[in-house]
Amino acid sequence: MDLIKNLLKGDKISIAKIISLVENDTGVDVLDKIFPYTGRAYQIGITGPPGAGKSTLVNAIAKRLLKDNYKIGIIAVDPTSPFSGGALLGDRIRMGDLALQKNVFIRSMATRGSLGGLSKKTKDVALVLDAAGMDYILIETVGVGQIELDIAQVCDTKVVVLVPESGDSIQAMKAGLLEIADIVVVNKADREGSDALLMELKFAFGLRPKILWRVPILKTVATDESGIEELLSEIKGHEDFLKKSGEYKKIQKTRILNQIHELIEAEIKKHLHESVINNQKLDRFVERIEKRKFSPYKLAKKIVRSLINHK
C-alpha cells in the first residue's frame, strides 16, 4: 500500500491522510500494519491549566529540538467545536512558523467530549507519528484543569506548566497534576509572583516522600525562549533516567496492557450494539424500568449473559 510506504518515509501528505482515517474510525487496518514500525519515538506531555502558555512553550521546545536535527511530531489537543466537532483553537495556526519546517508535523485534534483533556484518538495519532519516524512527539493538552490526567497514561515525560498570579499552585494540587509531574515549569516567570510560586512548589515537593526521580521546578519565559535550554536538559535527563533505571520498559508494558484493555472493551461494546442489543427490545425494557417493574442492574446482567452465550 503506497500510503503506508510513503508514511514510513515521513511524507507529510500521507501522515495527514492516515491520521484522518484514524480519526474517522476507518484506520484500524492501517494501524495494524504500521505497528511493527513503532516504539521508537519519545513522548513528552505538556499539560496544565488554561492560559499557562503551553502552546508557546511547545513551540519553543520544538525549535530547540530542531537545532539538533530531531524530527518532531506535535499533537495539539484543542476544545471541540460544538458545530463541526473539530478543533476550535487550531494550534497549527498559532504554530505557523513551525508548520513549514521540513522535520515538523503538527496536528490539531479536538477532545470530542473526552473529560481527561485528550482525544481518545491521541494514542493512535501518536502511533502514526512514531511510524513516520519522529524522534520526539510533543502532546499539548487542552487545559481542562482538575480532570486533566489522561496524559499520565500516554506520555513518557510529563511537564506540568503553571503561571503566577492565578492560584495555579492550589488548583494543580487539587487536580492531582503535581502527582503526575516529572517536571514542573513556572512559565511567564517575568511576571510578579513567580518567585513566590516557585517557593510554594518547592515546599510542596519537599513534603513528598523520597522517590528515585527528583522533580525539577524551573522558570521559563516561553515568549523569548528564556529557560528553554534548561527545560530541555531536564527532559533529556528524565529520558536517560527512565531508560537506565528500567522504568521506561515498565511504562511501555503498562501502556500496552492499558491499550489492550481499551481495545477489548471497544470491541465488546461494538459487538454488543451490532449483534446482541436489539433496540426495539431495549426500548420495551426501558419502559418497564421507568415503571419500576424491572431494574437496570438486572438488565445489564441479562445482556452480558446474552453476550457470553451469543454464537
Side-chain angles (χ1 to χ4, degrees):
M1 190 177 180
D2 288 339
L3 197 59
I4 292 176
K5 284 181 181 177
N6 290 334
L7 168 80
L8 297 176
K9 292 175 183 175
D11 176 62
K12 288 190 177 185
I13 294 173
S14 299
I15 296 171
K17 284 181 178 178
I18 288 178
I19 288 176
S20 294
L21 290 175
V22 167
E23 288 188 303
N24 294 322
D25 292 317
T26 53
V28 176
D29 289 341
V30 174
L31 289 171
D32 181 54
K33 287 183 173 68
I34 67 172
F35 190 78
Y37 303 97
T38 63
R40 293 167 293 185
Y42 192 81
Q43 296 181 184
I44 303 164
I46 310 294
T47 188
K54 296 187 294 293
S55 294
T56 311
L57 198 66
V58 167
N59 199 47
I61 293 169
K63 279 184 179 178
R64 180 59 191 81
L65 285 169
L66 280 173
K67 288 180 181 177
D68 293 330
N69 295 318
Y70 288 115
K71 291 184 178 178
I72 316 298
I74 298 173
I75 303 173
V77 184
D78 279 338
T80 303
S81 164
F83 303 106
S84 68
L88 196 60
L89 299 179
D91 282 271
R92 280 172 293 177
I93 297 170
R94 285 184 279 164
M95 298 179 187
D97 55 336
L98 270 182
L100 300 175
Q101 296 283 340
K102 181 185 175 184
N103 286 341
V104 177
F105 184 90
I106 303 172
R107 184 73 170 210
S108 289
M109 294 183 68
T111 54
R112 302 200 178 195
S114 172
L115 293 177
L118 295 181
S119 164
K120 290 177 182 176
K121 297 293 181 183
T122 303
K123 295 175 190 176
D124 292 336
V125 172
L127 205 69
V128 173
L129 295 177
D130 189 352
M134 303 300 166
D135 298 300
Y136 287 94
I137 299 172
L138 303 174
I139 302 176
E140 178 203 340
T141 71
V142 69
V144 293
Q146 295 196 32
I147 43 179
E148 195 166 1
L149 305 180
D150 278 358
I151 201 161
Q153 298 177 358
V154 177
C155 295
D156 304 310
T157 294
K158 286 83 65 183
V159 180
V160 172
V161 187
L162 306 174
V163 287
E165 302 172 345
S166 62
D168 274 352
S169 60
I170 304 300
Q171 282 297 97
M173 289 173 199
K174 282 168 63 182
L177 278 177
L178 297 187
E179 294 299 317
I180 66 163
D182 297 309
I183 298 168
V184 177
V185 172
V186 175
N187 193 31
K188 305 182 183 180
D190 52 344
R191 287 186 180 180
E192 187 180 346
S194 61
D195 289 333
L197 176 55
L198 199 76
M199 291 300 293
E200 276 183 59
L201 291 165
K202 286 183 176 178
F203 178 73
F205 276 93
L207 296 175
R208 291 173 64 178
K210 296 289 183 184
I211 51 175
L212 291 174
W213 171 254
R214 174 197 57 82
V215 177
I217 302 165
L218 313 172
K219 292 204 297 184
T220 62
V221 182
T223 49
D224 64 10
E225 300 182 19
S226 173
I228 298 303
E229 194 77 40
E230 187 183 357
L231 171 57
L232 192 56
S233 175
E234 292 290 359
I235 289 171
K236 289 190 175 183
H238 186 247
E239 181 183 359
D240 289 341
F241 162 76
L242 289 179
K243 290 179 176 177
K244 288 175 182 176
S245 66
E247 289 296 312
Y248 187 69
K249 282 190 177 180
K250 290 179 186 177
I251 290 171
Q252 298 299 311
K253 186 178 179 181
T254 301
R255 190 174 295 156
I256 290 167
L257 284 170
N258 288 337
Q259 186 181 23
I260 291 168
H261 286 303
E262 286 172 12
L263 291 171
I264 289 170
E265 286 172 14
E267 286 297 319
I268 289 172
K269 194 173 180 180
K270 184 180 174 185
H271 180 62
L272 266 172
H273 288 284
E274 288 179 355
S275 308
V276 179
I277 296 176
N278 180 305
N279 286 334
Q280 213 170 21
K281 199 173 178 181
L282 192 61
D283 284 340
R284 290 198 295 271
F285 273 115
V286 169
E287 287 176 18
R288 291 180 65 192
I289 291 169
E290 278 183 321
K291 294 172 183 175
R292 298 303 190 265
K293 292 182 178 179
F294 204 75
S295 84
Y297 311 102
K298 192 177 286 186
L299 177 61
K301 286 183 179 179
K302 185 180 177 71
I303 291 172
V304 171
R305 279 199 294 269
S306 299
L307 177 63
I308 293 168
N309 297 325
H310 186 74
K311 301 294 182 185

